[in-house]
Amino acid sequence: VLLDQHEGSMYFSRIWLIFELFAALQLCPERVRLALPKKARLALHDALRSHSRRLADINADRAKAANSAEEGVLKELLSRTEGGMDAVNRQLGDLCAQLFVQQ
């Protein structure tokens, strides 16, 4: 996954992308990788040093899709997972934190 930035990434504002990343995490977590452009990577390192910023702001409830029917279906599928949307947000946030530290 190529993110534009570590904080407030547009990637996590799209429900399809959250759904796809969550599905990949469930099926083959060892193959999931995150990448950041150099400028974003440097900003991440600064944030890690200061501990003053959140690593990832993932909220599947706020994510959107171009097609509202698809958005509803994806959110329904994610909400049916064990722990619901909170678990999805937490698992993806944990994954991002782990992968960001590896950058």
Side-chain angles (χ1 to χ4, degrees), residues 73-88:
V73 169
L74 293 172
K75 287 181 177 182
E76 177 64 25
L77 288 170
L78 290 171
S79 68
R80 289 183 188 175
T81 62
E82 186 176 333
M85 292 289 235
D86 288 339
V88 170

Side-chain angles (χ1 to χ4, degrees), residues 36-83:
L36 291 167
K38 184 177 181 179
K39 184 177 179 181
R41 214 170 34 252
L42 294 173
L44 170 63
H45 287 281
D46 289 344
L48 288 172
R49 278 193 292 276
S50 69
H51 299 285
S52 63
R53 298 158 106 185
R54 294 172 64 183
L55 287 176
D57 181 21
I58 300 170
N59 186 327
D61 287 315
R62 288 192 319 239
K64 300 291 180 196
N67 180 304
S68 61
E70 288 180 354
E71 180 180 323
V73 169
L74 293 172
K75 287 181 177 182
E76 177 64 25
L77 288 170
L78 290 171
S79 68
R80 289 183 188 175
T81 62
E82 186 176 333

Side-chain angles (χ1 to χ4, degrees), residues 81-99:
T81 62
E82 186 176 333
M85 292 289 235
D86 288 339
V88 170
N89 296 333
R90 187 174 47 257
Q91 287 180 35
L92 293 180
D94 290 348
L95 170 70
C96 289
Q98 289 173 342
L99 297 175

